[in-house]
Amino acid sequence: MGSSALAQLQSTPVTGNYVEISNDRGGLLLDRIAELQQLRRTGQSVRITGNICYSTCTMFLSLPQTCVSPTTIFGFHGPSSYGRPLEPALVEEASKVMAEHYPAVLKDWYMKTGRYEIVDVYRFRGSDIIKMGIQSC
C-alpha cells in the first residue's frame, strides 16, 4: 500500500494489538479493500466502536479478528459513485464484492434489499450485528 493510500485510511491504530475504527463514514471501495488486505497480512484485531460505521466501513465485518460495540450504528447502502447511480453491471459487481464481507444472514439481506438503496442508508445496531455472529467488544 502506498503512502498516499495510508494517509487516507480512516482507522486509528490504538496499540500494536488492535486497530480501533470509530465514527467511520466509509470511503472508496478499492481503498477499503487495500486496507482490509493490509489488516489480514498483519493479523491485527479490529474494534469497531463509536457512533457509526457506514458504507465501506461495514466491510471490516469480514475480518475474523473483528469485534463490534453493541451501540455502534452500521449503515448499509448500494454501490454508487459519490451518490450517483452506477451502470447495472457495475452495481452487480460492486454489490458482490461488498456482500462477500458480511456474515451469511447479512450477505443475503444485502443482495436482496440493501444494495438497492443509494439515497439513504439502512441502519442496524451493533447488537443486531452481534446476533449475526460477529463478536462483541
Side-chain angles (χ1 to χ4, degrees), residues 2 8 10 12 15-17 19 23 25 28 42 51 55 68 76 79 81 91 101-104 108 114 119 123 125:
Q8 294 176 0
Q10 297 182 17
T12 305
T15 72
N17 296 327
V19 173
N23 299 320
R25 293 191 172 276
L28 299 176
T42 64
N51 295 323
S55 191
V68 302
F76 299 86
S81 178
V91 169
H101 292 86
Y102 300 146
D108 291 343
V119 176
R123 293 168 183 86
R125 287 197 154 288

Side-chain angles (χ1 to χ4, degrees), residues 66-113:
T66 295
C67 69
V68 302
S69 166
T71 59
T72 299
I73 303 297
F74 289 79
F76 299 86
H77 65 84
S80 67
S81 178
Y82 301 99
R84 290 178 300 226
L86 299 174
E87 296 293 324
L90 285 175
V91 169
E92 189 65 26
E93 182 179 342
S95 294
K96 288 178 181 177
V97 169
M98 292 289 296
E100 288 304 315
H101 292 86
Y102 300 146
V105 172
L106 187 57
K107 176 182 180 176
D108 291 343
W109 169 83
Y110 183 78
M111 290 303 288
K112 290 177 186 171
T113 305

